[in-house]
Every structure is written in structure tokens, then in C-alpha cells.
Amino acid sequence: MKYLKDGGFDLMTNEHGISADSFKELKIKKDSLNDNTYLMSYSAYDTDASSKVVKIPVSLKITVVKEESGYKISAVD
């Protein structure tokens, strides 16, 4: 996965299974244990072998850094 800073991979528009419902469930909160780190969660949707839609929880830890032009994502775990 490319980081946004490195050009090109957008977690919310290029990730398989993202739908309008994913944005309704999007949550971002500050990580109380790490500076400049945020926890993002949402749900992706896919179909199983029987074509039933399944909800897949996604959680990401996002680290940001301050640069001259503003804050940028430096890592996604």
C-alpha cells in the first residue's frame, strides 16, 4: 500500500469495498498513547461465496507529520 504522502493511494476511494455506508460509519479519534497518531475505523463491504453482502470492519493507525505546507500522512498501519 502506498501512503498518501508518496503519491497516489487514497484509502477512501481506491480501497475495495468502500461504499456510501462506509462514510456514514467513519470514525477518527486521537490516539492517547502516541503523539501525531490517529485511529480511523470504518466498514468495507464485499460479497461472500454465496453472493451475500458481508460487512468487514477496517481499522487503521495513521501517523501525521508537520511540513512547511501543513500536515501530511507519513504512515498508515
Side-chain angles (χ1 to χ4, degrees):
M1 173 186 306
K2 282 187 175 181
Y3 301 137
L4 297 177
K5 177 181 171 186
D6 295 333
F9 193 90
D10 184 327
L11 293 169
M12 296 306 295
T13 59
N14 294 129
E15 187 67 16
H16 177 72
I18 297 295
S19 72
D21 288 333
S22 299
F23 291 100
K24 293 176 189 174
E25 299 173 7
L26 177 67
K27 295 179 184 168
I28 300 172
K29 69 178 190 173
K30 178 100 174 83
D31 183 347
S32 61
L33 301 177
N34 299 296
D35 290 339
N36 300 324
T37 303
Y38 297 84
L39 305 172
M40 181 172 96
S41 63
Y42 61 94
S43 295
Y45 297 85
D46 204 353
T47 53
D48 64 12
S50 66
S51 297
K52 180 181 174 186
V53 175
V54 292
K55 184 176 175 179
I56 304 162
V58 178
S59 296
L60 302 167
K61 185 166 87 171
I62 300 169
T63 303
V64 297
V65 293
K66 187 173 183 177
E67 296 183 351
E68 283 185 29
S69 60
Y71 286 92
K72 305 276 182 165
I73 293 175
S74 65
V76 179
D77 297 314

